[in-house]
Amino acid sequence: MDGEQAVNTMTDVGNRPAARRGVFSRRVSGILEPYYYVSPALVLIVAVMLMPLILGLSYAFRDIRILNPFSGGFVGLAHFQTLMHDSAFLGALVNTAWWTFGSLFFQFTLGLVLALLLNRHFVGRRLVQALVFLPWAVPTFLSGLNWAWMFNPVVGPLPHWMVSLGIMETPFNILSDPDLAMWGPIVANIWFGIPFFAITLLAALQSIPGELYEAASIDGANTRQQFFSITIPFLAPTIAITLMLRTIWIANFADLIVVMTKGGPADSTQIVASYIFTQAFRRLDFGYASAIAAVLLVLLLAYALGVIALRRAMTHADS
Amino acid sequence: MSTPGNSALRKTVYWGTHYLMIAAFVVFALFPLYWLLKVSVTPNDILYTEGVRMWPSRTTWDNYTFVMTQSNFPHYFMNSVIVSGSTAFFTCIIAAVTGYAFSRFRFRGKIIIVALMLITQMFPLVMLIAPIFRILAPLGLTDSLTGLIIVYTAFNVPFATFLMQSFFDGIPKDLEEAAMIDGNTRFEAFRRIILPLTLPGIAATLGFVFTAAWSELLFALMLVSSESASTFPVGLLSFVSKFGVDFGQMMAAGVLALIPACAFFLLIQRYLVQGLTAGAVKG
Amino acid sequence: MASIEITNARKSYGAVDVLHGINLDIQDGEFIVLVGPSGCGKSTLLRMIAGLEDITSGDISIGGTVINDLQPKDRDIAMVFQSYALYPHMSVAENMSYALTLRKTAKEKVASAIENVAGVLGLNALLERRPKALSGGQRQRVAMGRAIVRQPQAFLFDEPLSNLDARLREQMRTEIRKLHRRLGATSVYVTHDQIEAMTMADRIVAMYNGIVQQVGTPLEIYDRPANIFVASFIGSPAMNFLEGIYQAEGDKAAITLEDGTVIPVLPSPQAENGQHITLGARPEHIDIVQDGSRPAVSSNVELIEPMGLSTLVHVTLAGKPVKIFTLARPDLAIGSQVQIAFNMDKTHIFDRQSEQRLLPLNEPRHTQQT
């Protein structure tokens, strides 16, 4: 142990050089310590995510078609030029916005309502909580298959219910109607995504100190005023961060669409993420797929930075 | 001013609405699962004729027996258990150590590492399949469970790290300082004092990662080509392609596959809320 | 047990200096209290002794050995935290034995040590409990016990009583003192509470802005504060301060307040005629003179606080509030005039610029340390 040695050879305070060396070595090990802790994660993420990402981005500028032995050459910006005029891609952009914000709006609103309901004590709350969170544990493609099944008028109850409710005239499968098909995956996504918001918001709700509500009710605030003056401001940071992360996540989330509609009918449910999948694994054109993915990544980064900048501007305006 | 009778009425109305809405959420959450179960016990010959009945006139366990004895399903199931279990285990270890560093240390480059982890959450993962295949193939890690475990662990580490960090943030620094004065190095203090205190948080993270790995289809499909290394979601798809679409058997397999994921989730969901609360309190 | 020497210890976080060169010699077996307002650096200094903070420059040695480079675990010190920092997943006995088991002490030895300490602290009945099942006072005792069991070279206390209620705090104060007398262990105790400092310390180290303002026994610090900070921080009710101008002639001197009131003080060779002065007098060193027996100045009665044993009279003098402490129960009407006299021997004068105390003729400078 050099630390002990350093001490043993310098029992008098005056022995400066040895002391300096000791300080130096302890300081170096102190500086290095955090990196020991983060290095496994860092190595893994760089090797399995960052390097493939860079490789993937490089594909965007190359001609990579799996079944074509002559492919692999550098094509510059050709993929991006094609992309500008690819009407399927432009349609997919619009669909992505629909898909993302349609899912997000209902997931969030219903998740918030559920969290508020679960934040009160009532008989059987723990059981209810366990049950309503369950959809999250269901493998997504299984829930996709199941929902597709339920939308089918031959084997599923949903079209018949919609007829009885007067929403539909005769039972038909909305997944095969280009105007309505998007609602199929969106409903499945809402079902799957409510628990995420409910869990996060419930945790945030439970961390609001109870005295705040007591103080507010002494000040004469009614339930609605308490909700808007205490609950919402307290939840705001959680809401902001989860909404941002989820927007990105949902925009990238193609599983349900691939399983339920494969982007059809007539590309009416094709979102950018599923379009990438189609290009890569049905047409085996990895170069073009990578170019689309690169554009999507840039758009999502811009969105995230925009949201962060907006939040910063708003908090600055507050103070 | 409201009279006492009036307020009692309002209370009844409130709780009536409350329970009604709770019931609606429970039904919405469980009905699709019920339908899955229903299809799985419906005999094939009446699957379509009684397609929209709430419960078939006859039920059968044939689909389950077939899946358990005639198909590769038990094998897929084992593969999934191995992959998901290992992924959860390794992810938790790595995320715990990293989350601890994020929670306790200030160091150069921390912001960059945090930003890197956040950005990985934005990747369209589809895009990574081909490059990952290219990187893993020469190492002999394609078509292997080990390769899947490595990939899944990497995908799950960032989120699990942030989760673990919030748990560590809720534990006072004094505890490991006391342990360091009592004779531990920092790492020993972390292992013997701090880690045992985050067990609920670790349970939550385990459950999270386990269910995520259990569901993953895309990479399992693309990185694995042989039957012997296929996981259960891939196997489930094989019901679609191989036997035409035998929905009854597929749904039976699906129900069986739900069991471990749901069991795990039911066990940990309570810790999930607790753990997130503990983190949130600290801000 | 061991002495602790701190030589020119500095601490900075980046460009911010938290401690500016601390020098301190703590004798073997001494009970030292570091006192000061929050942010003065007292806790940082304690944590540097413990090894929880790096020493930016300078040296700290325990028992003659420089310990700058040692891990906390190798310094052979014990620490009691403000939050107690008991391990929540261990029983009281396990908490107390943790350090000993890490040192691979024989089981029988550990058991007897714990029994011994638990007996001293009255914890015998609680040994199997978890910290969660203990009251605040009991937790505090366990934290003490955990430190004592180890028989370390030195004890470090980081505001250990501040989470207790007033009565319990008073009780633990005397108990810690008694323990210290019994164990004779070198102790460094951090607090922001000047009463704890006064009642517990062998020597007080008063700190402010990362600088040691004064080191001395409690009474030295109380009677001869080095500067305005120490004078105002130590003592409750706090010292009164009035601003004025110094005038001396021969062996007499006086301060002229803003409204012309003249208050006689001891002459100081360090002061010059016309110097701007802050005059300081503790409430108990101002008397109410009702019979004209002594020269006095006139003031207005603002408020009277009877406290049973004593009475605190608030008056205004030269437009400034002044508090007077008296054991008598003076019969005064609020708003009336009252004659008050400053006890000249106990009245201090401070230079208004440097805030240092200007010493009277015969006082040695030995407690000064800045």
Side-chain angles (χ1 to χ4, degrees), chain C residues 20 42 44-45 75 111-112 133 140 147 150 155 157 159 167 199 236 276-278 282 295 301 314 339 341:
Chain C
H20 311 261
K42 57 192 190 301
T44 307
L45 182 58
R75 294 189 180 197
S112 74
Q140 215 282 328
R150 294 180 43 189
F155 287 105
F157 297 88
E159 312 220 11
R167 192 174 292 262
T199 51
S236 174
H276 289 268
I277 291 293
T278 299
R282 295 203 181 275
V301 179
H314 297 245
Q339 297 293 306

Side-chain angles (χ1 to χ4, degrees), chain C residues 42 116 148 158 192 214 259 267:
Chain C
K42 57 192 190 301
N116 208 349
I148 295 169
D158 192 3
H192 61 269
Q214 190 173 8
D259 68 341

Side-chain angles (χ1 to χ4, degrees), chain C residues 110 125 287:
Chain C
V110 174
D287 298 319

Side-chain angles (χ1 to χ4, degrees), chain A residues 34-35 37 41 52 59 117 120 122-123 126 129-130 133 136 139 141 146 149 155-156 160 191 203 252 277 286 293, chain B residues 14 18-19 28-29 32 35 39 51-52 97-98 107-108 122 127 130-131 134 208 215 218 233 236 247 265 269-270 276:
Chain A
Y35 299 101
Y37 287 76
Y59 289 177
L117 291 172
R120 301 291 298 255
F122 60 87
V123 184
R126 271 168 73 174
Q129 182 174 318
F133 287 174
W136 203 12
F141 71 95
N146 190 41
W149 181 274
V155 287
H160 303 277
W191 180 77
N252 276 322
F277 183 82
F286 276 89
Chain B
Y14 170 80
H18 192 273
Y19 276 108
F28 182 54
W35 205 253
V39 174
V52 293
V97 177
T98 315
F107 54 94
R108 202 179 284 271
M122 296 182 196
M127 176 185 183
R134 277 280 284 275
F208 237 146
S215 311
L218 215 51
L236 205 58
F247 281 112
F265 194 74
Q269 52 87 17
R270 197 159 50 90
L276 288 173

Side-chain angles (χ1 to χ4, degrees), chain B:
Chain B
M1 295 298 320
S2 59
T3 63
N6 197 347
S7 91
L9 180 73
R10 268 175 50 187
K11 223 173 175 174
T12 316
V13 170
Y14 170 80
W15 279 108
T17 323
H18 192 273
Y19 276 108
L20 216 65
M21 289 169 80
I22 289 280
F25 272 105
V26 172
V27 168
F28 182 54
L30 294 187
F31 183 77
L33 298 178
Y34 165 78
W35 205 253
L36 199 64
L37 189 74
K38 188 219 118 177
V39 174
S40 74
V41 295
T42 307
N44 267 339
D45 53 327
I46 56 169
L47 191 58
Y48 293 96
T49 50
E50 295 188 7
V52 293
R53 277 178 63 147
M54 289 305 283
W55 191 250
S57 52
R58 288 181 286 124
T59 60
T60 172
W61 294 104
D62 286 355
N63 291 326
Y64 287 90
T65 349
F66 179 87
V67 163
M68 294 304 291
T69 58
Q70 311 279 303
S71 74
N72 264 336
F73 183 78
H75 179 67
Y76 300 145
F77 193 89
M78 269 317 293
N79 280 346
S80 264
V81 169
I82 293 169
V83 169
S84 307
S86 312
T87 301
F89 177 75
F90 290 119
T91 303
C92 275
I93 292 180
I94 295 172
V97 177
T98 315
Y100 178 77
F102 282 1
S103 169
R104 293 299 200 257
F105 295 118
R106 296 174 62 179
F107 54 94
R108 202 179 284 271
K110 180 173 167 182
I111 293 182
I112 296 172
I113 298 174
V114 172
L116 175 68
M117 287 197 167
L118 274 176
I119 290 173
T120 61
Q121 303 296 295
M122 296 182 196
F123 291 2
L125 290 180
V126 189
M127 176 185 183
L128 301 185
I129 293 177
I132 285 181
F133 193 90
R134 277 280 284 275
I135 292 170
L136 291 186
L139 303 170
L141 289 173
T142 51
D143 204 9
S144 91
L145 296 182
T146 318
L148 273 188
I149 293 168
I150 293 174
V151 171
Y152 288 175
T153 305
F155 287 179
N156 284 298
V157 157
F159 184 72
T161 297
F162 294 129
L163 201 58
M164 288 304 299
Q165 183 193 350
S166 74
F167 300 137
F168 290 126
D169 283 345
I171 293 179
K173 260 184 170 177
D174 289 1
L175 283 179
E176 68 249 47
E177 290 181 345
M180 282 160 74
I181 286 174
D182 269 353
N184 282 146
T185 62
R186 181 179 276 278
F187 189 73
E188 285 164 0
F190 163 67
R191 198 168 52 81
R192 296 188 56 171
I193 304 295
I194 305 301
L195 219 46
L197 294 174
T198 39
L199 279 181
I202 292 175
T205 313
L206 271 178
F208 237 146
V209 178
F210 186 91
T211 46
W214 188 263
S215 311
E216 211 288 330
L217 173 64
L218 215 51
F219 282 79
L221 201 60
M222 297 300 165
L223 295 183
V224 171
S225 50
S226 72
E227 288 270 299
S228 63
S230 285
T231 56
F232 136 82
V234 179
L236 205 58
L237 270 197
S238 76
F239 277 100
V240 181
S241 44
K242 257 189 211 153
F243 312 101
V245 188
D246 193 329
F247 281 112
Q249 285 167 14
M250 194 178 76
M251 296 301 197
V255 170
L256 288 174
L258 273 180
I259 294 168
C262 291
F264 220 103
F265 194 74
L266 288 180
L267 279 177
I268 58 92
Q269 52 87 17
R270 197 159 50 90
Y271 296 121
L272 207 57
V273 175
Q274 273 176 11
L276 288 173
T277 310
V281 172
K282 208 67 208 288

